[in-house]
Amino acid sequence: MPMTSGDGSAPVESTHLTAVADGTGLRFGWDADARIEVRNLGTEVVIEANAAGLRTLAGHLLVLACDGVPDGAHLHLEDGNGLENGSVGLVLERDEEG
């Protein structure tokens, strides 16, 4: 995962992460000033984000949706590492067989 800003939330500036899944390189990017918070309300999960955060999440999903990305390719976002402090973890995963 990329390094985070001083407040422990979104990655610094416009950061990119290249992850490898079954030999396929996946490049995930973060918009500058992205703010993403994930809350578990018991019966609902709320993803709250500013415009930069929504673009960032959309970009992550588009990377996973690309041709040639294998089943099981995923990205973990966690409290203080891609998500705002106090957030519950979020895993974005591709699953063609489910």
Side-chain angles (χ1 to χ4, degrees):
M1 270 324 254
M3 297 299 296
T4 58
S5 61
D7 66 4
S9 58
V12 177
E13 298 179 12
S14 184
T15 304
H16 290 88
L17 167 70
T18 302
V20 178
D22 289 341
T24 303
L26 305 176
R27 186 173 166 102
F28 296 97
W30 276 261
D31 282 9
D33 300 321
R35 186 189 59 74
I36 306 165
E37 183 177 351
V38 180
R39 296 185 311 254
N40 181 347
L41 303 181
T43 59
E44 296 180 313
V45 173
V46 175
I47 299 173
E48 179 178 294
N50 62 6
L54 292 172
R55 284 190 299 272
T56 295
L57 284 173
H60 294 346
L61 294 172
L62 288 171
V63 167
L64 290 169
C66 286
D67 290 340
V69 174
D71 274 3
H74 62 278
L75 176 65
H76 288 261
L77 301 173
E78 300 169 345
D79 171 0
N81 198 9
L83 300 178
E84 293 292 305
N85 288 332
S87 292
V88 296
L90 178 65
V91 178
L92 306 175
E93 182 173 348
R94 181 171 178 149
D95 178 14
E96 291 294 325
E97 297 177 18

Coordinates of all heavy atoms in Angstrom, one line a residue:
M1 N 0.8 -1.2 0.0 CA 0.0 0.0 0.0 C 0.9 1.2 0.0 O 2.0 1.2 0.5 CB -0.8 0.0 1.3 CG -2.2 -0.6 1.2 SD -3.1 -0.6 -0.2 CE -4.4 0.6 0.2
P2 N 0.4 2.3 -0.5 CA 1.2 3.6 -0.6 C 1.3 4.2 0.8 O 0.5 3.9 1.7 CB 0.3 4.5 -1.5 CG -1.0 3.9 -1.6 CD -0.9 2.4 -1.2
M3 N 2.2 5.1 0.9 CA 2.4 5.8 2.2 C 1.2 6.8 2.3 O 0.7 7.3 1.4 CB 3.7 6.6 2.1 CG 4.9 5.8 2.0 SD 5.1 4.6 3.4 CE 5.4 5.8 4.7
T4 N 0.9 7.1 3.6 CA -0.2 7.9 3.8 C 0.2 9.3 4.2 O 1.4 9.6 4.5 CB -1.1 7.4 4.9 OG1 -0.4 7.2 6.1 CG2 -1.7 6.0 4.5
S5 N -0.7 10.3 4.2 CA -0.5 11.6 4.5 C -0.3 11.7 6.0 O -0.6 10.8 6.8 CB -1.6 12.6 4.1 OG -2.8 12.2 4.7
G6 N 0.1 12.9 6.5 CA 0.4 13.1 8.0 C -0.8 12.8 8.8 O -0.7 12.4 10.0
D7 N -2.1 13.0 8.3 CA -3.2 12.7 9.2 C -3.6 11.2 9.2 O -4.6 10.8 9.8 CB -4.4 13.6 8.8 CG -5.0 13.3 7.4 OD1 -4.5 12.3 6.8 OD2 -5.9 14.0 7.0
G8 N -2.9 10.4 8.4 CA -3.1 9.0 8.4 C -4.3 8.5 7.6 O -4.9 7.5 7.9
S9 N -4.7 9.3 6.6 CA -5.9 8.9 5.8 C -5.5 8.6 4.4 O -4.9 7.6 4.1 CB -7.0 10.0 5.9 OG -6.5 11.2 5.4
A10 N -5.8 9.5 3.5 CA -5.6 9.2 2.1 C -4.1 9.2 1.8 O -3.3 9.9 2.4 CB -6.3 10.3 1.2
P11 N -3.7 8.5 0.8 CA -2.3 8.5 0.3 C -1.8 9.9 -0.1 O -2.6 10.7 -0.5 CB -2.2 7.5 -0.9 CG -3.4 6.6 -0.6 CD -4.4 7.5 0.0
V12 N -0.5 10.1 0.1 CA 0.0 11.4 -0.2 C -0.1 11.8 -1.7 O 0.1 11.0 -2.6 CB 1.5 11.4 0.1 CG1 2.2 12.8 -0.2 CG2 1.7 11.1 1.6
E13 N -0.6 13.0 -1.9 CA -0.8 13.6 -3.3 C -1.4 12.6 -4.2 O -2.4 11.9 -3.9 CB 0.6 14.1 -3.8 CG 1.1 15.2 -2.9 CD 2.4 15.7 -3.4 OE1 2.8 15.4 -4.5 OE2 3.1 16.5 -2.6
S14 N -0.9 12.5 -5.4 CA -1.5 11.6 -6.4 C -0.6 10.4 -6.4 O 0.4 10.3 -7.1 CB -1.6 12.2 -7.8 OG -2.2 11.4 -8.7
T15 N -0.9 9.3 -5.7 CA -0.1 8.2 -5.5 C -0.6 7.0 -6.3 O -1.8 6.9 -6.6 CB -0.2 7.8 -4.0 OG1 0.2 8.9 -3.2 CG2 0.7 6.6 -3.7
H16 N 0.3 6.2 -6.8 CA -0.1 5.0 -7.5 C 0.5 3.8 -6.8 O 1.6 3.8 -6.2 CB 0.5 5.0 -8.9 CG -0.3 6.0 -9.8 ND1 0.1 7.3 -9.8 CD2 -1.4 5.9 -10.5 CE1 -0.7 8.0 -10.6 NE2 -1.6 7.2 -11.1
L17 N -0.2 2.7 -6.9 CA 0.2 1.4 -6.3 C 0.1 0.4 -7.4 O -0.9 0.3 -8.0 CB -0.6 1.0 -5.1 CG -0.5 -0.4 -4.6 CD1 0.8 -0.6 -3.9 CD2 -1.6 -0.8 -3.7
T18 N 1.2 -0.4 -7.6 CA 1.1 -1.5 -8.6 C 1.1 -2.8 -7.8 O 2.0 -3.0 -7.0 CB 2.3 -1.5 -9.6 OG1 2.3 -0.2 -10.3 CG2 2.2 -2.6 -10.6
A19 N 0.1 -3.6 -8.0 CA -0.1 -4.8 -7.3 C 0.0 -5.9 -8.3 O -0.4 -5.7 -9.5 CB -1.4 -4.9 -6.5
V20 N 0.5 -7.1 -8.0 CA 0.5 -8.2 -8.9 C -0.4 -9.3 -8.4 O -0.4 -9.7 -7.3 CB 2.0 -8.8 -9.0 CG1 2.0 -10.0 -9.9 CG2 2.9 -7.7 -9.5
A21 N -1.3 -9.8 -9.3 CA -2.2 -10.8 -9.1 C -2.1 -11.9 -10.2 O -2.3 -11.5 -11.3 CB -3.7 -10.3 -9.0
D22 N -1.6 -13.1 -9.9 CA -1.4 -14.1 -10.9 C -0.5 -13.6 -12.0 O -0.8 -13.9 -13.2 CB -2.7 -14.7 -11.4 CG -3.5 -15.5 -10.4 OD1 -2.8 -15.9 -9.4 OD2 -4.7 -15.7 -10.5
G23 N 0.5 -12.8 -11.7 CA 1.4 -12.4 -12.7 C 0.9 -11.1 -13.5 O 1.6 -10.6 -14.4
T24 N -0.3 -10.7 -13.2 CA -0.8 -9.5 -13.9 C -0.6 -8.2 -13.0 O -1.0 -8.2 -11.8 CB -2.3 -9.6 -14.1 OG1 -2.6 -10.8 -14.8 CG2 -2.9 -8.4 -14.8
G25 N 0.1 -7.2 -13.5 CA 0.3 -6.0 -12.8 C -0.9 -5.1 -12.8 O -1.4 -4.8 -13.9
L26 N -1.4 -4.7 -11.7 CA -2.6 -3.8 -11.5 C -2.1 -2.5 -10.9 O -1.5 -2.5 -9.9 CB -3.6 -4.5 -10.6 CG -4.1 -5.9 -11.0 CD1 -5.1 -6.4 -10.0 CD2 -4.7 -5.9 -12.4
R27 N -2.4 -1.4 -11.6 CA -2.0 -0.1 -11.1 C -3.2 0.7 -10.6 O -4.1 1.0 -11.3 CB -1.3 0.6 -12.2 CG -0.7 2.0 -11.8 CD 0.1 2.5 -13.0 NE 0.4 3.9 -12.8 CZ 1.6 4.3 -12.4 NH1 2.5 3.5 -12.2 NH2 1.8 5.6 -12.2
F28 N -3.2 0.9 -9.3 CA -4.3 1.6 -8.6 C -3.8 3.0 -8.3 O -2.6 3.2 -7.8 CB -4.6 0.9 -7.3 CG -5.2 -0.4 -7.5 CD1 -4.4 -1.6 -7.3 CD2 -6.6 -0.6 -7.8 CE1 -5.0 -2.8 -7.5 CE2 -7.1 -1.8 -8.0 CZ -6.3 -3.0 -7.9
G29 N -4.6 4.0 -8.6 CA -4.2 5.4 -8.3 C -5.1 6.1 -7.3 O -6.3 5.7 -7.2
W30 N -4.6 7.1 -6.7 CA -5.4 7.9 -5.7 C -5.3 9.4 -6.2 O -4.2 9.9 -6.5 CB -4.8 7.9 -4.3 CG -5.2 6.7 -3.5 CD1 -6.2 6.7 -2.6 CD2 -4.7 5.4 -3.6 NE1 -6.3 5.4 -2.0 CE2 -5.4 4.6 -2.6 CE3 -3.7 4.7 -4.3 CZ2 -5.2 3.3 -2.4 CZ3 -3.4 3.4 -4.1 CH2 -4.2 2.7 -3.2
D31 N -6.5 10.0 -6.3 CA -6.6 11.4 -6.6 C -6.0 12.2 -5.4 O -6.2 11.8 -4.3 CB -8.0 11.9 -6.9 CG -8.5 11.5 -8.2 OD1 -7.8 10.8 -9.0 OD2 -9.6 12.0 -8.6
A32 N -5.4 13.3 -5.7 CA -4.9 14.2 -4.6 C -6.1 14.6 -3.8 O -7.2 14.8 -4.3 CB -4.2 15.4 -5.2
D33 N -6.0 14.7 -2.5 CA -7.0 15.1 -1.6 C -8.2 14.2 -1.5 O -9.3 14.5 -1.0 CB -7.5 16.5 -1.9 CG -6.4 17.6 -1.9 OD1 -5.6 17.5 -1.0 OD2 -6.4 18.5 -2.8
A34 N -8.0 12.9 -1.9 CA -9.1 11.9 -1.8 C -9.4 11.7 -0.3 O -8.5 11.5 0.5 CB -8.7 10.6 -2.5
R35 N -10.7 11.6 0.1 CA -11.1 11.3 1.4 C -12.2 10.3 1.3 O -13.2 10.5 0.7 CB -11.6 12.6 2.1 CG -11.9 12.3 3.6 CD -12.7 13.5 4.3 NE -13.9 13.8 3.6 CZ -15.1 13.1 3.7 NH1 -15.1 12.0 4.4 NH2 -16.2 13.5 3.1
I36 N -11.9 9.1 1.9 CA -12.9 8.0 1.9 C -13.0 7.5 3.3 O -12.1 7.1 3.9 CB -12.4 6.9 0.9 CG1 -12.0 7.4 -0.4 CG2 -13.4 5.7 0.9 CD1 -11.2 6.4 -1.3
E37 N -14.3 7.3 3.7 CA -14.6 6.8 5.0 C -15.6 5.6 4.8 O -16.5 5.8 4.1 CB -15.1 7.8 6.0 CG -15.4 7.3 7.4 CD -15.9 8.4 8.3 OE1 -15.9 9.6 7.9 OE2 -16.3 8.0 9.4
V38 N -15.4 4.5 5.5 CA -16.3 3.4 5.5 C -16.8 3.1 6.9 O -16.0 2.9 7.8 CB -15.6 2.1 4.9 CG1 -16.6 1.0 4.8 CG2 -15.1 2.4 3.5
R39 N -18.1 3.1 7.0 CA -18.7 2.8 8.3 C -19.6 1.6 8.3 O -20.4 1.5 7.3 CB -19.5 4.0 8.8 CG -18.6 5.3 9.1 CD -19.4 6.4 9.7 NE -20.7 6.7 9.0 CZ -20.9 7.7 8.1 NH1 -19.9 8.6 8.0 NH2 -22.0 7.9 7.5
N40 N -19.6 0.8 9.3 CA -20.5 -0.4 9.4 C -21.6 0.0 10.4 O -21.3 0.2 11.6 CB -19.8 -1.6 9.8 CG -20.7 -2.8 10.0 OD1 -21.9 -2.7 9.9 ND2 -20.0 -4.0 10.1
L41 N -22.8 0.2 9.9 CA -23.9 0.6 10.7 C -24.8 -0.6 11.2 O -25.9 -0.5 11.7 CB -24.8 1.6 10.0 CG -24.2 2.8 9.5 CD1 -25.2 3.7 8.8 CD2 -23.4 3.6 10.6
G42 N -24.2 -1.8 11.1 CA -24.9 -3.0 11.5 C -25.7 -3.7 10.4 O -25.4 -4.8 10.0
T43 N -26.7 -3.0 9.9 CA -27.5 -3.5 8.7 C -27.1 -2.9 7.4 O -27.6 -3.3 6.4 CB -29.0 -3.4 9.0 OG1 -29.2 -2.0 9.1 CG2 -29.4 -4.1 10.2
E44 N -26.2 -1.9 7.5 CA -25.8 -1.2 6.2 C -24.3 -0.9 6.4 O -23.8 -0.7 7.5 CB -26.5 0.1 6.1 CG -28.0 0.0 5.8 CD -28.6 1.4 5.7 OE1 -28.3 2.3 6.5 OE2 -29.4 1.6 4.7
V45 N -23.7 -0.7 5.2 CA -22.3 -0.2 5.2 C -22.4 1.1 4.4 O -23.0 1.1 3.3 CB -21.3 -1.2 4.5 CG1 -20.0 -0.6 4.3 CG2 -21.2 -2.5 5.3
V46 N -21.8 2.1 5.0 CA -21.8 3.5 4.3 C -20.4 3.8 3.8 O -19.5 3.7 4.6 CB -22.3 4.6 5.3 CG1 -22.2 5.9 4.6 CG2 -23.7 4.3 5.7
I47 N -20.3 4.1 2.6 CA -19.0 4.6 2.0 C -19.3 6.1 1.7 O -20.1 6.5 0.9 CB -18.6 3.9 0.7 CG1 -18.5 2.4 1.0 CG2 -17.4 4.5 0.1 CD1 -18.2 1.5 -0.2
E48 N -18.6 6.9 2.5 CA -18.7 8.4 2.4 C -17.4 8.9 1.8 O -16.3 8.6 2.4 CB -19.0 9.0 3.8 CG -19.1 10.5 3.8 CD -19.5 11.0 5.2 OE1 -20.6 10.6 5.7 OE2 -18.6 11.6 5.7
A49 N -17.5 9.7 0.8 CA -16.2 10.2 0.2 C -16.5 11.6 -0.5 O -17.6 11.9 -0.9 CB -15.8 9.2 -0.9
N50 N -15.4 12.4 -0.6 CA -15.5 13.6 -1.3 C -15.4 13.3 -2.8 O -15.2 12.1 -3.2 CB -14.5 14.6 -0.8 CG -13.0 14.1 -1.0 OD1 -12.8 13.1 -1.6 ND2 -12.1 14.9 -0.5
A51 N -15.4 14.3 -3.7 CA -15.4 14.0 -5.1 C -14.1 13.3 -5.5 O -14.1 12.3 -6.3 CB -15.5 15.3 -5.9
A52 N -13.0 13.7 -5.0 CA -11.7 13.0 -5.3 C -11.7 11.6 -4.8 O -11.2 10.7 -5.5 CB -10.5 13.8 -4.6
G53 N -12.3 11.3 -3.7 CA -12.4 10.0 -3.1 C -13.3 9.1 -4.0 O -13.0 7.9 -4.2
L54 N -14.4 9.6 -4.5 CA -15.3 8.9 -5.4 C -14.6 8.5 -6.7 O -14.7 7.4 -7.2 CB -16.6 9.7 -5.6 CG -17.5 9.8 -4.4 CD1 -18.7 10.8 -4.7 CD2 -18.1 8.5 -3.9
R55 N -13.9 9.5 -7.2 CA -13.1 9.2 -8.4 C -12.1 8.1 -8.2 O -11.8 7.2 -9.0 CB -12.4 10.5 -9.0 CG -13.3 11.5 -9.7 CD -12.6 12.6 -10.4 NE -11.8 13.4 -9.4 CZ -12.2 14.4 -8.8 NH1 -13.5 14.8 -9.0 NH2 -11.5 15.1 -8.0
T56 N -11.4 8.2 -7.0 CA -10.4 7.2 -6.7 C -11.1 5.8 -6.6 O -10.5 4.8 -7.2 CB -9.8 7.5 -5.3 OG1 -9.0 8.8 -5.5 CG2 -8.8 6.5 -4.8
L57 N -12.2 5.7 -5.9 CA -12.9 4.4 -5.8 C -13.3 3.9 -7.2 O -13.2 2.7 -7.5 CB -14.1 4.5 -4.9 CG -13.8 4.5 -3.4 CD1 -15.1 4.7 -2.6 CD2 -13.1 3.2 -2.9
A58 N -13.9 4.8 -8.0 CA -14.3 4.4 -9.3 C -13.1 3.9 -10.1 O -13.2 2.9 -10.9 CB -14.9 5.6 -10.0
G59 N -12.0 4.5 -10.0 CA -10.8 4.1 -10.7 C -10.3 2.7 -10.2 O -9.9 1.9 -11.1
H60 N -10.4 2.4 -8.9 CA -10.0 1.1 -8.4 C -10.9 0.0 -9.0 O -10.4 -1.0 -9.4 CB -10.1 1.1 -6.9 CG -9.2 2.0 -6.1 ND1 -8.1 2.5 -6.7 CD2 -9.2 2.3 -4.8 CE1 -7.4 3.2 -5.8 NE2 -8.1 3.1 -4.6
L61 N -12.2 0.3 -9.1 CA -13.1 -0.7 -9.6 C -12.9 -0.9 -11.1 O -13.0 -2.0 -11.6 CB -14.6 -0.2 -9.4 CG -15.0 -0.2 -7.9 CD1 -16.4 0.5 -7.7 CD2 -15.0 -1.6 -7.3
L62 N -12.6 0.2 -11.8 CA -12.3 0.0 -13.3 C -11.0 -0.8 -13.5 O -11.0 -1.6 -14.5 CB -12.2 1.4 -13.9 CG -13.5 2.2 -14.1 CD1 -13.2 3.6 -14.5 CD2 -14.4 1.4 -15.1
V63 N -10.0 -0.6 -12.7 CA -8.8 -1.4 -12.8 C -9.2 -2.9 -12.6 O -8.8 -3.8 -13.4 CB -7.7 -1.0 -11.7 CG1 -6.6 -2.1 -11.6 CG2 -7.2 0.3 -12.1
L64 N -10.0 -3.2 -11.6 CA -10.4 -4.6 -11.4 C -11.3 -5.2 -12.5 O -11.3 -6.4 -12.7 CB -11.0 -4.8 -10.0 CG -10.1 -4.6 -8.8 CD1 -10.9 -4.5 -7.5 CD2 -9.1 -5.7 -8.7
A65 N -12.0 -4.3 -13.2 CA -12.9 -4.7 -14.3 C -12.2 -4.9 -15.6 O -12.8 -5.4 -16.5 CB -14.0 -3.7 -14.4
C66 N -10.9 -4.5 -15.7 CA -10.2 -4.6 -17.0 C -10.1 -6.1 -17.5 O -10.0 -7.0 -16.7 CB -8.8 -4.0 -16.9 SG -8.8 -2.2 -16.8
D67 N -10.1 -6.2 -18.8 CA -9.9 -7.5 -19.4 C -8.5 -8.1 -19.0 O -7.6 -7.4 -18.8 CB -9.8 -7.4 -21.0 CG -11.2 -7.1 -21.5 OD1 -12.2 -7.4 -20.9 OD2 -11.3 -6.7 -22.7
G68 N -8.5 -9.4 -18.7 CA -7.3 -10.0 -18.3 C -7.0 -10.0 -16.8 O -6.0 -10.7 -16.4
V69 N -7.8 -9.3 -16.0 CA -7.6 -9.3 -14.6 C -8.2 -10.6 -14.1 O -9.3 -10.9 -14.3 CB -8.2 -8.1 -13.9 CG1 -8.2 -8.2 -12.4 CG2 -7.6 -6.8 -14.4
P70 N -7.4 -11.4 -13.3 CA -7.9 -12.7 -12.9 C -8.8 -12.7 -11.7 O -8.9 -11.7 -11.0 CB -6.6 -13.4 -12.4 CG -5.7 -12.3 -12.0 CD -6.0 -11.1 -12.9
D71 N -9.7 -13.7 -11.6 CA -10.5 -13.9 -10.5 C -9.7 -13.8 -9.2 O -8.5 -14.3 -9.2 CB -11.2 -15.2 -10.5 CG -12.5 -15.2 -11.3 OD1 -12.8 -14.2 -11.9 OD2 -13.2 -16.2 -11.3
G72 N -10.2 -13.2 -8.2 CA -9.5 -13.1 -6.9 C -8.6 -11.9 -6.8 O -8.1 -11.6 -5.7
A73 N -8.3 -11.2 -7.9 CA -7.5 -10.0 -7.8 C -8.3 -9.0 -6.9 O -9.5 -8.9 -7.0 CB -7.3 -9.3 -9.2
H74 N -7.6 -8.4 -6.0 CA -8.3 -7.6 -5.0 C -7.4 -6.5 -4.4 O -6.2 -6.5 -4.6 CB -8.8 -8.4 -3.8 CG -7.7 -9.1 -3.1 ND1 -7.2 -10.3 -3.5 CD2 -7.1 -8.8 -1.9 CE1 -6.3 -10.7 -2.6 NE2 -6.2 -9.8 -1.7
L75 N -8.0 -5.5 -3.8 CA -7.3 -4.4 -3.1 C -7.9 -4.2 -1.7 O -9.1 -4.1 -1.6 CB -7.5 -3.1 -4.0 CG -6.9 -1.8 -3.3 CD1 -5.4 -1.9 -3.3 CD2 -7.3 -0.6 -4.2
H76 N -7.0 -4.2 -0.7 CA -7.5 -3.9 0.7 C -7.3 -2.5 1.0 O -6.2 -1.9 0.8 CB -6.6 -4.7 1.7 CG -6.8 -6.2 1.6 ND1 -7.6 -6.8 2.6 CD2 -6.4 -7.2 0.8 CE1 -7.7 -8.1 2.3 NE2 -6.9 -8.3 1.2
L77 N -8.3 -1.8 1.4 CA -8.3 -0.4 2.0 C -8.6 -0.5 3.4 O -9.5 -1.2 3.8 CB -9.3 0.4 1.2 CG -9.1 0.5 -0.3 CD1 -10.3 1.3 -0.9 CD2 -7.8 1.2 -0.6
E78 N -7.8 0.2 4.3 CA -7.9 0.0 5.7 C -7.8 1.4 6.4 O -7.4 2.4 5.8 CB -6.7 -0.8 6.2 CG -6.7 -2.2 5.6 CD -5.5 -3.0 5.9 OE1 -4.5 -2.4 6.4 OE2 -5.5 -4.2 5.7
D79 N -8.3 1.4 7.6 CA -8.2 2.6 8.5 C -6.8 3.1 8.5 O -5.8 2.4 8.8 CB -8.6 2.1 9.9 CG -8.4 3.1 11.0 OD1 -7.9 4.3 10.7 OD2 -8.7 2.8 12.2
G80 N -6.6 4.3 8.1 CA -5.3 5.0 8.1 C -4.4 4.6 6.9 O -3.3 5.1 6.8
N81 N -4.9 3.8 6.0 CA -4.1 3.4 4.9 C -5.0 3.3 3.7 O -5.4 2.2 3.2 CB -3.3 2.0 5.1 CG -2.2 1.8 4.1 OD1 -1.8 2.7 3.4 ND2 -1.6 0.7 4.2
G82 N -5.4 4.4 3.1 CA -6.3 4.5 2.0 C -7.7 5.0 2.5 O -8.4 5.6 1.7
L83 N -8.0 4.8 3.8 CA -9.3 5.2 4.3 C -9.1 6.1 5.5 O -8.0 6.1 6.1 CB -10.1 4.0 4.8 CG -10.5 3.0 3.7 CD1 -11.3 1.8 4.4 CD2 -11.3 3.6 2.6
E84 N -10.1 6.9 5.8 CA -10.0 7.8 6.9 C -9.9 7.0 8.2 O -10.3 5.9 8.3 CB -11.3 8.7 7.0 CG -11.4 9.7 5.9 CD -10.4 10.8 5.9 OE1 -10.3 11.5 7.0 OE2 -9.7 11.0 4.9
N85 N -9.2 7.6 9.2 CA -9.1 7.0 10.5 C -10.5 6.7 11.1 O -11.4 7.5 10.9 CB -8.3 7.9 11.5 CG -6.9 8.0 11.2 OD1 -6.3 7.1 10.6 ND2 -6.3 9.1 11.5
G86 N -10.6 5.5 11.7 CA -11.9 5.1 12.2 C -12.8 4.3 11.3 O -13.8 3.8 11.6
S87 N -12.3 4.2 10.0 CA -13.1 3.4 9.0 C -12.9 1.9 9.3 O -11.9 1.5 9.8 CB -12.5 3.7 7.6 OG -12.8 5.0 7.2
V88 N -13.9 1.2 8.9 CA -13.8 -0.3 8.8 C -13.1 -0.7 7.5 O -13.2 0.1 6.5 CB -15.1 -1.0 8.9 CG1 -15.8 -0.7 10.3 CG2 -16.1 -0.7 7.8
G89 N -12.4 -1.8 7.5 CA -11.7 -2.2 6.3 C -12.7 -2.5 5.1 O -13.8 -2.8 5.3
L90 N -12.1 -2.3 3.9 CA -12.9 -2.5 2.7 C -12.0 -3.3 1.7 O -10.9 -2.9 1.5 CB -13.3 -1.1 2.0 CG -14.1 -1.2 0.7 CD1 -15.4 -1.8 0.9 CD2 -14.2 0.2 0.2
V91 N -12.6 -4.3 1.2 CA -11.8 -5.1 0.2 C -12.6 -5.1 -1.1 O -13.8 -5.4 -1.1 CB -11.7 -6.6 0.6 CG1 -11.0 -7.4 -0.5 CG2 -10.9 -6.7 1.9
L92 N -12.0 -4.7 -2.2 CA -12.6 -4.7 -3.5 C -12.0 -5.9 -4.2 O -10.8 -6.0 -4.4 CB -12.2 -3.4 -4.3 CG -12.5 -2.1 -3.6 CD1 -12.0 -0.9 -4.4 CD2 -14.0 -2.0 -3.4
E93 N -12.8 -6.8 -4.7 CA -12.3 -8.1 -5.3 C -13.1 -8.4 -6.5 O -14.3 -8.3 -6.6 CB -12.4 -9.2 -4.3 CG -11.9 -10.5 -4.8 CD -11.8 -11.6 -3.7 OE1 -12.0 -11.3 -2.5 OE2 -11.6 -12.7 -4.1
R94 N -12.4 -8.9 -7.5 CA -13.0 -9.4 -8.7 C -13.4 -10.9 -8.5 O -12.6 -11.7 -8.1 CB -12.1 -9.3 -9.9 CG -12.7 -9.8 -11.2 CD -11.9 -9.4 -12.4 NE -12.5 -9.9 -13.6 CZ -12.3 -9.3 -14.8 NH1 -11.6 -8.2 -14.9 NH2 -12.9 -9.9 -15.8
D95 N -14.6 -11.2 -9.0 CA -15.1 -12.6 -8.8 C -16.0 -12.9 -10.0 O -17.2 -12.5 -10.0 CB -15.8 -12.8 -7.5 CG -16.4 -14.2 -7.3 OD1 -16.0 -15.1 -8.1 OD2 -17.2 -14.4 -6.4
E96 N -15.5 -13.6 -11.0 CA -16.3 -13.9 -12.2 C -17.2 -15.2 -11.9 O -18.1 -15.4 -12.7 CB -15.4 -14.2 -13.4 CG -14.7 -12.9 -13.9 CD -15.7 -11.9 -14.5 OE1 -16.7 -12.3 -15.1 OE2 -15.4 -10.7 -14.3
E97 N -16.8 -16.0 -11.0 CA -17.4 -17.3 -10.8 C -18.6 -17.2 -9.8 O -19.4 -18.2 -9.7 CB -16.4 -18.3 -10.3 CG -15.4 -18.5 -11.4 CD -14.3 -19.5 -10.9 OE1 -14.5 -20.3 -10.0 OE2 -13.2 -19.5 -11.6
G98 N -18.7 -16.1 -9.0 CA -19.7 -16.1 -8.0 C -21.1 -15.8 -8.4 O -22.0 -16.1 -8.8

